[in-house]
Amino acid sequence: MPNHHCFPDRGFLRRGLLNPRDLLVDLREAIEGEFLPPGACLARFREKHPPPWKPLRLPPGNVSCHHVIITPSRMLLEGPIAVQSNRVIRHYHNHDPSLVERFLRVAFCDEDRLAYRWDRDVDVEWFLQRCVGRVLRDGLEVAGCSFQFLAYSTSSLREHTVWFVSPFHDPEEGFVDAEIIRANLGDFSQLLRTPSKYAARIAQAFTSTDPSVKLSRGQWEEQPDLGPHTDGVGTISKELADMIWKEKCRASGHLKKNRVEPSAYQFRFLGYKGVVVVDSQLEGIKMRLRPSQCKFPTHDVEEAGFEIARSFDFPTPTHLNRPVIMILEDRGVKTEAFINLQDAVKARIYLSKTSLENFKCLLKEHSLGSKFHLPFILEQLYMLGLDFKDNNEKRAIRNTFFERLLRYSMSHSLRQVKFKARIPVPRSYQLVGVADEGQAYIQEGANPDDVFTLKEGRIFACVQGPTDEYPIFLKGTCVISRSPVMHPGDVQRVFAVGEPPADKKCFFRGLKNVVVLPLLVRVRSLASGLAGGDLDGDTYDVYYDNPALLPTIQKDAAEYPPGEIWTLDEDRGDATIEDICHFIVEYIHSDVMGLLADRHLLIADQSKDGVFDNQCLKLAKLYSKAVDYAKNGTPVDISKDFPKPLIEYKPDWKKQEVTGAREHDYYESDRALGHLFRKIDPHEVDEPLEDLSNISLEETAPLEDMISRTIAPLIQNIFNVGIEASGAESAKTKGLYMHYVGEMRYVCTTHTLLDTPDVRLAEEEVVLGTILAKSTQPRLRSDRTNRMTVHAEALVRDVRAQMAPTGDQPTLEEYRDGLRNAWEMWGWAQHHRQDEFIESFSLITLGVILDCLQQLGALPNV
């Protein structure tokens, strides 16, 4: 069966649009009678009975990719699934979009779809060589098409996922296979003695990125590093930053127009990687990169695309977690400080039931619902005088879907707090680190007395969110860390300097949503002292205005010598792709970071010395080596002398969210984590989801609900006449709705934690961007949630684009047309309230209506 038939037919089966009876009974006669190959028969069947929706239209930077899961006994096919693209796939997609089908994402896992785990009693390496190494070396065949190993990205290697490609004919380049693709990426000749570093540099081209502007050769240059303190960071001019942001907004359909323009971007560009930050002193279109950012050379390139791995356009809220809590407690922070923070967040979770405003705050605090614009919708409805209950100023919204979304949000938030100790910290932020370039000004001739620079132990941070009228300058003593923390010195006290003086030249004046780190230090950079960080995209947690979290016990940062790099023997030739395949197997076998982190917390809980215990310090050192394993190729050997727990029992906070734990296997921990865990009863986590079917409100006639009655007068004022949302049948509306339903069925069946036909995600889970099914594997849940949110975001963008204007600068008339379209679709949806996924479809139309009203100046100012 051809490749492009095989994957969609499995999708048809999962969506319920094709079933085994169709294949074995209804289509069997056609297959056997005409002796047609199954793929040809199914293709003819789909031509006669096409699906009632159009394919999902993806935004720039996304592609539909086929996935293959290799287990010891099976090969599972999934997709196509919307994923963020990379440089290589975009290159060939631009030549011919159908060539995307030649690329596969291949994941290696156990039969239960969980990651392979280290086991001292099993010869795992031999097992993996047979199950994984054989596929990497020999390739695989899918639907009669042969695929060969291509490469991986750094993040996908951690997920035990790689890229495969099937050789193809490119309309511009001719025959293309894996070897040709790798050879065209750049000059790796200096890396051929170190297979892991060679593979890591190839991985740069496979990082998930969004395309952006193109730069000609005279628009970028190299500048010298300022010692080790600028490792990974360069600069760009304000004009170039404006161009990049404009293109980002255009590609996203202006969804980011209300965000703060970023001061920094994480990027990929030719053989360069890292971060660029705006330098107001640069003029024109200019990018200045550093030698530390060049990972491999490229030759004779006159024009190249700037690729965005991440744009830092808002300050990310910071959360405590188990390792940070354990270290802060042993550094002198009292247990009551953590309990007070948890009690406060627990109170906010329950207070979310009292108003739409509190519900919106809960969503923002826990990063829920943004893909469907739910926080924006709640904010606008609240400003229009709606709320959960009637009061003197507000009218009750009476919407069962919002009630269910509230319950799911509460359950998700309580689960995160109880089982992960993921506690939001007010007035604290996760910010990307950049360097203070003031010394560069001085080296270029500026008077040192006229330049304001950061001294040792000082930082600068200025934050501004989308709804903040003015920026907030952080000033005072803060705590700064970088996850993952293991060593007691991975958390440090620093002083935020606030707004820089107006009478001096200052590099970081005007920078927002970044943390600027000092260059004037005696020994090592601040970034390096925070769990071995650098400035190539690492983010740092800054706990501000929380004096109870300030450590009272000083501890210097850990100092670990650079790890040994795996280098081929002198009598060996240069590294080959077989060496890289061997390294992948070794990496899966020696991927013990999770085991090290888990053992570290366990011993810290049991020892009277906590994280200062010698065994914990040893584990921190091993963990540092394990983090660098993907680059230097030297594994951590834990088969001998691996620190053991002091007792065989586990602390109670280690209990999983799944039921069935034997109580006598656990002890009651007296550490802060134990007190926090017991402060939330397990029943509280599931209580919001109980009796969901009993949520019932008074039924109203179509368009007589409170939302419709509130919005209708605003729309009438826009058009100066009554505009009817009658709910009459519309081919356009019904077609768009059927398109949405088809994709939502796919989302709900594809991204579950269990691969069984009867398990589907709830509509509310997709809207919020969470999966509430219980699981003992956080990596699996995180991977599936990320895939689901990318897919859902692409779907929402596609649906919105068919309702509302998406041009470069939509006119007021285009917004009026979008408002008219969305209002008609809202009316149609109100007449079909019992239809599948109609509530989330209505939510999208409501978001478009409110967005158009806002652009037309018809909504109250927030």
Side-chain angles (χ1 to χ4, degrees), residues 171-182:
E172 298 184 19
E173 300 177 8
F175 177 78
V176 175
D177 63 3
E179 184 176 356
I180 291 174
I181 292 174
R182 289 189 294 266

Side-chain angles (χ1 to χ4, degrees), residues 626-849:
V627 169
D628 293 334
Y629 177 30
K631 287 188 294 185
N632 62 30
T634 304
V636 174
D637 184 8
I638 62 173
S639 61
K640 300 177 182 178
D641 197 25
F642 183 47
K644 297 180 179 179
L646 304 186
I647 59 176
E648 62 180 1
Y649 303 103
K650 300 176 183 178
D652 51 357
W653 50 262
K654 287 283 293 178
K655 292 179 181 176
Q656 300 285 349
E657 58 187 61
V658 296
T659 58
R662 298 185 302 179
E663 290 298 325
H664 63 267
D665 289 339
Y666 297 86
Y667 63 87
E668 188 173 288
S669 171
D670 196 41
R671 298 299 301 268
L673 290 177
H675 291 286
L676 293 171
F677 182 81
R678 293 187 294 274
K679 286 280 286 185
I680 297 179
D681 189 272
H683 178 68
E684 290 183 76
V685 175
D686 296 322
E687 186 178 24
L689 299 182
E690 295 176 357
D691 301 323
L692 279 177
S693 59
N694 294 332
I695 298 178
S696 60
L697 300 172
E698 181 182 350
E699 287 289 335
T700 59
L703 297 172
E704 290 298 320
D705 62 287
M706 192 54 66
I707 295 178
S708 300
R709 290 167 58 187
T710 301
I711 292 176
L714 302 177
I715 296 176
Q716 291 173 3
N717 291 338
I718 292 290
F719 294 99
N720 296 320
V721 294
I723 176 170
E724 186 176 358
S726 63
E729 288 298 322
S730 162
K732 177 181 178 181
T733 301
K734 188 171 182 179
L736 182 58
Y737 166 71
M738 293 303 296
H739 162 66
Y740 177 75
V741 169
E743 285 297 331
M744 277 292 284
R745 287 175 181 165
Y746 195 26
V747 170
C748 291
T749 56
T750 302
H751 305 298
T752 58
L753 300 185
L754 297 176
D755 188 29
T756 53
D758 59 331
V759 175
R760 294 193 176 192
L761 297 177
E763 185 177 14
E764 293 81 3
E765 290 177 295
V766 178
V767 170
L768 293 171
T770 183
I771 299 177
L772 295 185
K774 295 179 179 180
S775 173
T776 60
Q777 290 292 317
R779 179 185 288 183
L780 175 64
R781 186 200 297 276
S782 175
D783 175 58
R784 290 306 173 95
T785 301
N786 289 338
R787 280 175 36 177
M788 181 259 288
T789 52
V790 169
H791 196 163
E793 181 180 21
L795 174 58
V796 173
R797 285 188 181 185
D798 186 18
V799 173
R800 285 177 62 95
Q802 298 183 58
M803 295 184 191
T806 57
D808 276 351
Q809 293 181 333
T811 64
L812 293 180
E813 190 58 37
E814 287 175 324
Y815 278 118
R816 287 163 62 91
D817 291 341
L819 178 60
R820 181 182 288 106
N821 290 337
W823 181 242
E824 290 177 357
M825 292 182 183
W826 170 266
W828 182 89
Q830 294 304 301
H831 284 79
H832 297 78
R833 293 177 181 172
Q834 304 304 316
D835 289 1
E836 187 180 14
F837 300 118
I838 196 66
E839 290 172 305
S840 56
F841 180 77
S842 299
L843 191 68
I844 298 175
T845 64
L846 179 58
V848 173
I849 290 170

